[in-house]
Every structure is written in C-alpha cells, then in structure tokens.
Amino acid sequence: MNYLYFYLPYLFILFALSLPTKPWFYPGSQPVYLSITLFFVLLQSFIFYNKKKQFINEVSFHKYIPTNWIIASFYFLFMLCFPILNRNWGDGLLLLETNLLETKLFGYQFTLDEILESILHSQLMNGLSYFQIQEDPTVSYSILSYLSGILFICGFLFLGRFKQKDLSILFLLSSGGILLGFGYAENYTLVTTIHLGLYLFLNRYASDPKDNDILLYGSTSIVALSMLFHLVSGYLVILLVYLWVFHSPKEKKIKHLVYCTLLGSLILLPWFVYFIAFHDPTVDKNSTHLIHPPFYPLKRWVSNNHLKEILSVLYWNAGISTFYLSCQFFFQKEKWKQFIKYPFHKLMLVVILAFVLHGFLHNPQLGFPADWDLMGFYWLPITLLAFLYWKQESKIVWEWVPLQFFGASLVMIAAVQLNKTNPKDVLIWEITKKAISTYSTENKTFIQSLPKEDKKFFAKGDFLFFKGDYITQQLCDFPEKQALIESMKSHRKNWKQGFLDGTFKSKDQLNVFLTEATKTNVLYLKSLEANTICHPKL
C-alpha cells in the first residue's frame, strides 16, 4: 500500500475546514483542528521515516504500550468529565420534555417506536425521585448512557482479551458512535447495547454448525427484544433471513421457519397489542413511525444531497474503521478473502448492509447533526470488523497507529465542545420543567376523564399551547407579545373544545386546525429565538 494513502484522512479534514460552511461533524474550533492535524501528520511522517531507517526498534518499544484495559479506563474517565450537554445533537429538549410530561401524567412514557427505551428511562427517573433526586430525565438518560458506554468498552475488551497490548481498542474509541456512551440524552443507547449483545452471541455460536438451533432461536429472541427497544432493529430481520438460509440445514428449514416466527411473535405481539388496545391511555397513533413510516420517496433514494448525508454520517460514526477496512479490501486482497471466510465476519457484513439500507430508506426529519445517531447504526458492526481484522495481525502495524489516535482525538475534541451549554437553553429547560409540573397539576384530572385513545394526543397538543403561553409571558416585551399569547390561549380553548364535542373526529377539521396552529407555533419559535427571557418563573 502506498504511504500516500495514509495522508488522505488528514487532507480531508484540511479540505473540509476550508469550505465556506464547516461540516456539522467538526463542532470544535478551526485552530484546534489544524493543530491536531499538523501534529499527527508529523507523527505519521516520523513513523514512515523510522520504518525506513530503523533507528527505533519497534519490538523493544512494544513493551511500553499500555494494555487496552488501561487505555479504555482513562478514556472512560474522560467520558465522565465531558458528558454531552449540547442539545443540538439529537432530539434535544423535545425528547426530554415529552418524557417528563408523559411520566408526570401517565406514570411513564411509552411509544411503539421504542417501547422499552422510553419505559426504562421513565421508570429510572421515578426510582430516583423516590430517593429525593430531582425529577429530571437528563439524569436517568445520563445514567443509562454511561452504563451503555461501559458495556461497549467491556464488550470489545472481552473480545480482545487474549491480545491486550495491541491498541485494538482505539478502533472503538475513534468511532463517533461512542458518543452514545457520553451521558447522551437519546433513545439509541440501550438498543445499541442490545445490538452489541447480539454480535457477541453470533460470534460465539455462528462458527459451529452443530449449534444451529441455539444460533437461530437465540438470534431471533435477541432481535425481537431489540425491536422492543427501537423499531430500527427491524432491519435485522434481513440478518435472520440470512441465518435461516445459510445456517439452517435442509431437513430443519420448515421447523426453524415456523418456530422462529412463533418465537419472535410471542416476544413482540403482546407488547404491541397491549399498548395499542388495552393500556390506559393507548398509544398515540398520530406520532408513531410504525403507522406513519418516514420513508424517503423513491426518486430521492439516490441523490447528491442524500449521498452526502449518508457519507457524512458514515465518516463521523466510523470513519477510521471504514478507511482501514477499505484499504485492506483494496490492498490486502488475499488476507481479506481469508478474513471474510469466517461465518461471523460474513454476518457482520449482512448487518452493515441492512443498516445501510436503513440509511437510504429513512428520512432524517430533523436533519444533521440532530439525526447523526438514528442514521448511523452501522457504526458498531463496521467498528467490530475493523477491530477483529486488527486482532488477526501477527504484530502491530505501526503505520495505522497515528490515524487511530487521530480519530480518537477528533471524537474527544467533539466531546469537549458538546459538553458546553447554551445558558438560554438551560434556562428554557428549567422553565419547561416548571411548566410541566404546573400543567400536570392543573390538568391531570381532566385528561384522565378523556377516552383512553384521546389522552396522549390531547395532552401533547394542549401542553404545546400551554407552554407557548407560559414561556412567552416570561420573554422581554416585544410588539407581538400579547397577540401571540392570546393566539395560544385561543388555540388551546379550541383544541379542548374539539375533543369535547367530537369535531376532531373529522380529519379534515383536525387538519385545518393543525395548519393554523402550526403557523402560530412557528411564530412562537421565532419569537423565542429572537427575544430573551426577562421574567423567569423558577
């Protein structure tokens, strides 16, 4: 492999920083990125020069390398010091607001898209409040995120337990996906942990054809469980089909198909049937992606903007691992052919293809960087493959080490930057928590009197207008302030009346109302952005 290829990641960052608008995946300052890039370019060049002149013995230097456990431990301390507090990455305050509101009104949050993720975050918050810890979902999200981060690290360390001094853990630490473990407030941390458990299970059982029953039934169970955490796991059905085709013997094909279908259904259906038909309140059918899947139209599957989005997420989530595997594929063809013969490695390629399909089909409605996590589930199998390929090397390939540390440095720079908060956002969140507490106290009884299929949808819209009124009153005076407040009050009154007299059973009437309400909400968001809070009620 030509040494010039190793400089491509450094050249890319220099090119990206020269663009008029800096890409979203570089949240840090330009001088920091330029300095770190220059340092690693010099280090890369030094290693190439040493390889030629051999004035430092690589074998003797190996004994000074810290073990993967030590590297990972220091990295975890860094994760604890720099939790992600910037709400522009992810669903932001809206996710926290919905979780807290539904927990206060109904005991816990639940949605068909991510049943167990939302329930577990809510119930942990309830448990913490029992011990007089502030009722704030950011705490429960942080705890479960850090737990996932520990499991990510431990899973990789377990796989690499027989070679501890090879720097392989750097593939994980250089992947942007590891930010899911930085106290991150989102509903993708736990499901990614379940995915890691699935990959460890496959690694254990896919290599032995005698265990095809355990392999198929176990994989079906874990995939079904992961779908309860998040519906994006549904793409792993492609993996289950592959397992059935290639790991189920001919004489058991029908038996495995029937039993796996029944097993998956027994795990999934009770939850969905219960929350759709029996739970009080039932799920809000207007907001679930299961009923309203946000797929891209066919003509946009392959377009310049869409490809740019997919490549941006791929670069951020698993850039170094992808570059490393690509170079092995193109420049080490014989070794790659041997590597990919292993059944587990083939399965990881199937998983990658399944989640790449998700990247093409799913419409990231919030855009980037907000949806960097939703669209990047392929980061873990890609990183795992790079990790395992590195493990099979007889010795450390030192040319790659600067790039590994470079990738880890970029993730750490991003974490430091995303640890910074916007004081206005912090204040708005504190006011929103107060608004939720006030709203639930004043309206919980009325909401409980509504039909169970209306409760969640009504509460979501009613609180939207209540919050708009509540927060607008606390803004500094501006010419349209009173008119906006009156508009919110009027929408809230009409919203309530529409449920009481059955007007909104007509979709046409509901759509007319929502169109007008959306216009008012846009004005509210613009006023919130343009004006400061002068009269906070905390």
Side-chain angles (χ1 to χ4, degrees):
M1 178 179 174
N2 194 313
Y3 285 166
L4 292 178
Y5 283 99
F6 287 90
Y7 290 94
L8 289 178
Y10 308 119
L11 292 175
F12 175 80
I13 191 172
L14 294 176
F15 165 75
L17 292 175
S18 68
L19 296 174
T21 302
K22 188 173 62 174
W24 60 263
F25 42 80
Y26 292 135
S29 65
Q30 188 178 66
V32 171
Y33 285 121
L34 292 176
S35 300
I36 206 77
T37 302
L38 177 60
F39 172 79
F40 281 105
V41 165
L42 292 174
L43 180 60
Q44 189 82 58
S45 302
F46 173 78
I47 287 179
F48 289 149
Y49 184 71
N50 181 67
K51 192 174 185 67
K52 182 178 180 180
K53 297 296 184 180
Q54 290 293 321
F55 55 85
I56 295 180
N57 189 301
E58 293 178 355
V59 176
S60 61
F61 185 72
H62 185 271
K63 64 182 179 180
Y64 297 106
I65 298 175
T67 64
N68 287 325
W69 280 98
I70 293 175
I71 296 172
S73 297
F74 278 103
Y75 195 89
F76 184 70
L77 290 176
F78 175 83
M79 293 165 68
L80 290 176
C81 293
F82 294 97
I84 296 180
L85 302 178
N86 185 312
R87 304 304 175 195
N88 292 325
W89 284 44
D91 287 351
L93 294 180
L94 181 60
L95 173 75
L96 300 173
E97 174 189 305
T98 304
N99 183 275
L100 182 58
L101 176 65
E102 292 193 14
T103 302
K104 296 282 282 185
L105 290 175
F106 310 121
Y108 53 86
Q109 184 195 15
F110 59 94
T111 168
L112 293 184
D113 298 2
E114 46 221 4
I115 294 175
L116 293 182
E117 281 263 6
S118 54
I119 289 176
L120 284 174
H121 285 105
S122 296
Q123 295 292 27
L124 178 57
M125 182 173 64
N126 287 333
L128 293 173
S129 65
Y130 177 80
F131 294 100
Q132 306 303 313
I133 297 175
Q134 184 184 14
E135 238 179 348
D136 189 334
T138 56
V139 179
S140 59
Y141 274 100
S142 293
I143 291 173
L144 292 178
S145 171
Y146 279 125
L147 176 62
S148 293
I150 292 172
L151 293 176
F152 294 157
I153 292 172
C154 289
F156 274 75
L157 291 175
F158 175 78
L159 276 180
R161 61 192 181 280
F162 298 118
K163 288 178 69 177
Q164 275 300 309
K165 298 188 71 173
D166 63 354
L167 302 175
S168 56
I169 195 65
L170 290 173
F171 282 109
L172 174 64
L173 307 185
S174 64
S175 298
I178 191 66
L179 287 183
L180 292 173
F182 276 70
Y184 185 50
E186 253 298 357
N187 283 337
Y188 306 117
T189 53
L190 299 181
V191 67
T192 305
T193 307
I194 301 298
H195 290 174
L196 178 59
L198 171 66
Y199 306 152
L200 293 175
F201 175 84
L202 292 174
N203 183 59
R204 168 66 178 81
Y205 290 102
S207 59
D208 190 351
K210 295 179 182 178
D211 286 329
N212 50 56
D213 283 355
I214 295 176
L215 176 64
L216 269 77
Y217 299 146
S219 299
T220 300
S221 300
I222 299 173
V223 169
L225 177 65
S226 67
M227 289 176 68
L228 290 176
F229 277 87
H230 202 290
L231 286 180
V232 73
S233 300
Y235 288 93
L236 290 173
V237 171
I238 297 172
L239 168 70
L240 297 182
V241 172
Y242 180 91
L243 285 171
W244 178 70
V245 171
F246 292 100
H247 289 265
S248 176
K250 185 176 181 180
E251 65 274 11
K252 288 186 175 182
K253 275 278 192 291
I254 300 300
K255 173 188 171 183
H256 280 152
L257 179 62
V258 173
Y259 282 15
C260 286
T261 302
L262 287 174
L263 180 59
S265 299
L266 286 172
I267 294 172
L268 288 171
L269 288 181
W271 291 85
F272 288 105
V273 171
Y274 174 69
F275 282 113
I276 290 173
F278 298 107
H279 187 267
D280 188 5
T282 56
V283 73
D284 177 14
K285 297 177 182 178
N286 296 282
S287 62
T288 173
H289 290 163
L290 182 64
I291 299 174
H292 309 284
F295 290 139
Y296 262 121
L298 180 61
K299 63 183 179 181
R300 293 190 62 189
W301 283 8
V302 181
S303 64
N304 288 334
N305 283 337
H306 193 34
L307 288 174
K308 184 176 72 173
E309 291 171 352
I310 292 171
L311 292 175
S312 295
V313 176
L314 177 63
Y315 171 81
W316 169 248
N317 278 324
I320 297 299
S321 295
T322 303
F323 183 64
Y324 175 73
L325 290 176
S326 300
C327 288
Q328 308 314 308
F329 175 79
F330 287 111
F331 301 109
Q332 302 285 343
K333 289 190 178 295
E334 290 304 315
K335 287 178 67 175
W336 174 262
K337 288 178 182 177
Q338 293 300 317
F339 174 74
I340 212 62
K341 280 183 180 179
Y342 287 93
F344 174 65
H345 301 163
K346 291 180 180 178
L347 292 176
M348 287 299 93
L349 286 181
V350 174
V351 173
I352 292 168
L353 290 174
F355 285 130
V356 167
L357 180 64
H358 165 245
F360 275 96
L361 296 181
H362 195 95
N363 182 9
Q365 295 169 303
L366 295 179
F368 298 96
D371 280 316
W372 73 274
D373 40 20
L374 171 62
M375 305 307 294
F377 277 92
Y378 40 66
W379 78 270
L380 190 56
I382 290 175
T383 303
L384 198 55
L385 269 185
F387 177 86
L388 293 173
Y389 194 100
W390 183 271
K391 282 289 179 186
Q392 74 168 9
E393 298 283 8
S394 58
K395 60 180 182 178
I396 294 177
V397 184
W398 289 96
E399 296 95 315
W400 285 100
V401 173
L403 280 173
Q404 290 176 309
F405 277 104
F406 177 63
S409 299
L410 294 181
V411 174
M412 295 170 76
I413 291 169
V416 171
Q417 187 65 29
L418 296 175
N419 175 251
K420 299 175 183 177
T421 58
N422 183 329
K424 185 176 181 179
D425 288 344
V426 174
L427 180 57
I428 289 175
W429 173 234
E430 291 301 321
I431 293 173
T432 301
K433 287 193 293 183
K434 181 67 175 178
I436 291 172
S437 180
T438 303
Y439 176 83
S440 61
T441 301
E442 295 177 355
N443 298 277
K444 189 172 184 177
T445 302
F446 173 76
I447 291 172
Q448 292 298 340
S449 70
L450 293 172
K452 63 182 181 180
E453 61 271 13
D454 290 341
K455 290 179 181 178
K456 289 192 71 171
F457 188 40
F458 171 82
K460 183 178 179 180
D462 192 43
F463 179 72
L464 178 69
F465 306 129
F466 175 88
K467 181 186 72 171
D469 173 11
Y470 188 88
I471 295 182
T472 301
Q473 291 187 40
Q474 300 175 54
L475 296 176
C476 301
D477 292 336
F478 57 97
E480 301 84 8
K481 178 177 178 177
Q482 197 56 41
L484 185 57
I485 291 173
E486 292 303 321
S487 182
M488 289 290 186
K489 291 182 183 295
S490 175
H491 283 320
R492 190 179 179 208
K493 180 180 178 181
N494 293 335
W495 179 253
K496 184 175 183 179
Q497 189 60 39
F499 279 87
L500 291 175
D501 60 20
T503 303
F504 290 156
K505 292 187 182 297
S506 166
K507 287 190 175 181
D508 291 337
Q509 293 287 337
L510 177 61
N511 288 336
V512 169
F513 174 86
L514 291 176
T515 300
E516 291 302 312
T518 300
K519 294 177 183 177
T520 302
N521 191 52
V522 170
L523 292 175
Y524 159 72
L525 293 174
K526 288 182 177 178
S527 71
L528 188 61
E529 184 177 347
N531 299 284
T532 57
I533 296 173
C534 297
H535 317 288
K537 298 178 182 178
L538 297 175

